[in-house]
Amino acid sequence: GFYGETCSQRCPVNCQICNMTTGECIGGCTTGFEGARCEKFTRGAFFMVFFIAVFLSNFILNEHKRIHI
């Protein structure tokens, strides 16, 4: 959605519903985000991203080793 005097500003991307005047999230944030405008990673989301990055790195390294053996 949009907010502002002329509804020309887009609501924050991680926001479910935003205040029509201020743009602050009033309908909750997408999973993994928090803050007035859903601009902050939650601790759980940070660890999830970290875990996925480590998993993918290990997978790629193992595949590289398997292919070149």
Side-chain angles (χ1 to χ4, degrees), residues 2 25 34 51 61 66:
F2 293 86
C25 295
E34 63 186 5
F51 173 78
L61 287 172
R66 186 182 66 80

Side-chain angles (χ1 to χ4, degrees), residues 19-47:
N19 180 291
M20 292 177 63
T21 305
T22 65
E24 289 187 356
C25 295
I26 56 175
C29 301
T30 302
T31 302
F33 292 89
E34 63 186 5
R37 295 179 181 268
C38 300
E39 73 282 6
K40 300 174 189 171
F41 256 147
T42 62
R43 175 175 256 163
F46 172 80
F47 286 114

Side-chain angles (χ1 to χ4, degrees), residues 44-68:
F46 172 80
F47 286 114
M48 181 179 66
V49 169
F50 178 76
F51 173 78
I52 291 170
V54 169
F55 173 80
L56 288 176
S57 296
N58 286 333
F59 177 79
I60 291 167
L61 287 172
N62 288 334
E63 283 298 301
H64 180 74
K65 288 177 186 176
R66 186 182 66 80
I67 291 170
H68 295 291

